[in-house]
Amino acid sequence: MAGVPFSPEDSRDEVPEVVVSRLPQYLRILNRLMEDGIMVVSSQQLGEKLQVTPAQIRKDLSYFGRFGKQGRGYSVRDLLDRLRQILGVNAYWNVAVVGVGRLGRAIVNYPGFNPDGFHLVAAFDINEDVIGQDVGGLTVHSLDDLRRVVTERNISIAIVAVPVSHTQEVVDLLVACGVRAILNYAPIIPHVREGVRIRNIDPVLSLQSMTYYINSSVEE
Amino acid sequence: MAGVPFSPEDSRDEVPEVVVSRLPQYLRILNRLMEDGIMVVSSQQLGEKLQVTPAQIRKDLSYFGRFGKQGRGYSVRDLLDRLRQILGVNAYWNVAVVGVGRLGRAIVNYPGFNPDGFHLVAAFDINEDVIGQDVGGLTVHSLDDLRRVVTERNISIAIVAVPVSHTQEVVDLLVACGVRAILNYAPIIPHVREGVRIRNIDPVLSLQSMTYYINSSVEE
DNA sequence: GGATGTGAAGTATTTCACAGCC
DNA sequence: GGCTGTGAAATACTTCACATCC
């Protein structure tokens, strides 16, 4: 489908997903340069900090426009603004957390989301004992209230930290309620329909992909 | 370097990194099939569960050998054993945690590492106030003891959960003490020398790579 | 002089498609 | 008949290299 080779509509430039996945890293570095008072940066310098080739950075950025000045490099502030706009992180996002067990609590208390514009504004659980409780400043709602709260608070992003056994159904419910992006901490890869985004945080998978290399290799 | 096209040594089959990164996911699914009492599985069925093409699974596995039976599929138990062996997760790994602040404590108390053979056996911090404390059953050591403990307990994997300002130096110290794989939770990408593996857990980057898609798109 | 932006070249990865085997 | 394993084809991604501009 959508694979007719000569379709003229096909020439709408699709940005490769791998390119999009690198932009937040560029954002990170630029934020740090900004804090350090650096005004201008070259793709060469960015590449050193990110451990990628300068050509890749220039190519990546070229999907979105021409942000640099020949002979000079990139204005840190300008590039920062453009990338924020492209990624859609120039505004605040309201985020719901589902599951306030040990992991969910750690997430709610993690101070790293707010500075980057992700506001955890609602918490949910299925366990009657914790519903109504205060967790990190948020009142825990019943999942029955999900649709209402998601609508009222204009939530399109959710973080899922429920047991594996409930993950897929929670994800389905979130999608049904209009959530369009999900960050999943359960060690399972849930299925979502086209148009909904999901990313999985799974430290064990990361560890297991490293043991391959340190296991047999003498040094590589 | 290593790029001479005709070098005969070049033909030692290098397994693409992207292939290795998928193996732990195969392991996950197979473990679940095993628990469910499924004995045999086809690449078709695996593909459906993993949302990848059957061809990719067969190709990935073919880098390591021929594990299937034509006309039948793969023995779940056999494939599980082979993958465990390939990934080096058929034995236990001792793991150190550096940084026992809020995040570090959550990691130490996370129950998901042990069942997969990663044993958190030592915790470290630089803060005098927490050194000597008990955190999740582990006594917090000073970083001064790192080399000794890493050697004594045969630790080659470390989890880093220290502030950004200290991350690079902690990583450097770990590498200097012989640690060969690092799971980093700080929002920075530390540099490590060739031969040392590092993976980064950065939920904000994940969120930012999703907002790109839910921001402008009507549906994609 | 120095750095960007970008077609073209070069690699890497995925998918196809089918021979071979159970 | 059904499914694996795998060269070959197709696609995706990265890097080169240079015209272009500040």
Side-chain angles (χ1 to χ4, degrees):
Chain A
M1 68 199 77
V4 183
F6 291 25
S7 159
E9 291 304 274
D10 241 57
S11 56
R12 70 197 151 88
D13 277 55
E14 264 301 355
V15 180
E17 187 148 348
V18 64
V19 170
V20 174
S21 75
R22 280 192 293 262
L23 299 186
Q25 302 186 38
Y26 300 169
L27 207 58
R28 270 278 161 68
I29 297 287
L30 288 165
N31 267 314
R32 227 146 269 159
L33 291 173
M34 191 77 175
E35 284 167 15
D36 295 348
I38 313 285
M39 309 296 282
V40 175
V41 69
S42 68
S43 61
Q44 174 73 42
Q45 296 167 309
L46 280 176
E48 278 161 20
K49 292 194 181 291
L50 288 157
Q51 305 270 268
V52 300
T53 64
Q56 179 159 84
I57 291 172
R58 297 201 301 276
K59 190 69 154 183
D60 283 356
L61 295 177
S62 77
Y63 282 100
F64 304 96
R66 297 131 73 98
F67 307 137
K69 297 221 192 317
Q70 278 115 327
R72 296 275 293 145
Y74 301 88
S75 153
V76 172
R77 174 185 288 281
D78 288 355
L79 188 52
L80 206 44
D81 285 348
R82 302 302 297 267
L83 284 179
R84 281 218 191 90
Q85 195 164 41
I86 291 163
L87 283 171
V89 295
N90 49 344
Y92 291 124
W93 290 93
N94 286 340
V95 178
V97 177
V98 183
V100 291
R102 229 200 298 252
L103 185 54
R105 279 161 208 266
I107 290 166
V108 169
N109 288 308
Y110 177 64
F113 291 115
N114 268 300
D116 280 297
F118 296 101
H119 287 180
L120 309 192
V121 298
F124 298 86
D125 208 297
I126 202 175
N127 181 353
E128 295 290 347
D129 296 342
V130 299
I131 292 173
Q133 266 189 20
D134 177 288
V135 171
L138 301 178
T139 303
V140 179
H141 294 277
S142 161
L143 269 180
D144 295 337
D145 297 335
L146 187 64
R147 185 178 299 274
R148 179 177 59 75
V149 176
V150 162
T151 308
E152 281 178 7
R153 309 285 325 247
N154 191 31
I155 292 169
S156 29
I157 304 176
I159 298 178
V160 173
V162 304
V164 168
S165 52
H166 289 81
T167 305
Q168 184 64 56
E169 59 181 302
V170 163
V171 165
D172 290 344
L173 180 60
L174 285 165
V175 171
C177 290
V179 166
R180 310 199 42 219
I182 292 169
L183 187 63
N184 168 48
Y185 278 80
I188 189 184
I189 302 188
H191 298 182
V192 292
R193 66 164 172 75
E194 183 90 346
V196 177
R197 294 282 149 178
I198 190 158
R199 295 283 184 278
N200 301 286
I201 302 281
D202 196 331
V204 169
L205 292 191
S206 300
L207 287 175
Q208 289 178 331
S209 73
M210 290 194 287
T211 51
Y212 172 81
Y213 295 101
I214 65 177
N215 191 37
S216 47
S217 77
V218 182
E219 189 76 313
E220 158 147 326
Chain B
M1 67 200 77
V4 184
F6 289 27
S7 160
E9 290 306 275
D10 240 59
S11 57
R12 71 196 151 90
D13 276 52
E14 262 302 355
V15 180
E17 186 148 351
V18 65
V19 171
V20 174
S21 76
R22 279 190 295 261
L23 299 185
Q25 302 186 37
Y26 300 169
L27 207 57
R28 268 277 162 70
I29 297 287
L30 288 165
N31 266 314
R32 225 147 269 157
L33 291 174
M34 190 78 175
E35 284 168 15
D36 294 349
I38 313 285
M39 308 297 281
V40 175
V41 69
S42 67
S43 60
Q44 174 73 42
Q45 296 168 308
L46 279 176
E48 278 161 20
K49 292 196 180 292
L50 288 157
Q51 306 270 268
V52 301
T53 64
Q56 178 157 86
I57 292 172
R58 296 201 301 277
K59 189 68 154 183
D60 282 357
L61 296 177
S62 77
Y63 283 101
F64 304 97
R66 297 130 73 97
F67 308 136
K69 298 226 191 312
Q70 279 113 327
R72 296 274 294 144
Y74 301 88
S75 154
V76 173
R77 175 185 287 282
D78 288 355
L79 188 52
L80 206 44
D81 286 347
R82 303 302 298 266
L83 284 179
R84 281 218 192 91
Q85 195 164 40
I86 290 163
L87 283 171
V89 295
N90 48 345
Y92 292 123
W93 289 94
N94 285 339
V95 178
V97 177
V98 183
V100 291
R102 229 199 299 251
L103 185 54
R105 279 161 207 266
I107 290 166
V108 170
N109 288 308
Y110 178 65
F113 291 114
N114 268 300
D116 280 297
F118 295 101
H119 287 180
L120 309 193
V121 297
F124 297 87
D125 208 297
I126 200 175
N127 181 354
E128 295 291 347
D129 296 342
V130 299
I131 292 173
Q133 268 189 20
D134 177 285
V135 171
L138 301 178
T139 303
V140 179
H141 293 277
S142 161
L143 269 180
D144 295 337
D145 297 335
L146 187 63
R147 183 178 301 273
R148 179 177 60 74
V149 177
V150 162
T151 307
E152 281 178 9
R153 309 288 322 250
N154 191 29
I155 293 168
S156 30
I157 303 176
I159 299 178
V160 174
V162 303
V164 168
S165 52
H166 290 81
T167 304
Q168 184 64 57
E169 59 180 302
V170 163
V171 166
D172 290 344
L173 180 60
L174 286 165
V175 171
C177 291
V179 166
R180 310 201 39 220
I182 292 170
L183 188 63
N184 168 47
Y185 279 80
I188 189 183
I189 302 188
H191 298 182
V192 291
R193 66 165 171 77
E194 183 90 347
V196 177
R197 294 282 148 178
I198 189 159
R199 296 283 184 276
N200 302 284
I201 303 280
D202 196 330
V204 169
L205 292 191
S206 299
L207 288 175
Q208 290 178 330
S209 73
M210 291 195 286
T211 52
Y212 172 80
Y213 296 100
I214 65 176
N215 191 37
S216 47
S217 79
V218 182
E219 189 75 313
E220 159 147 323

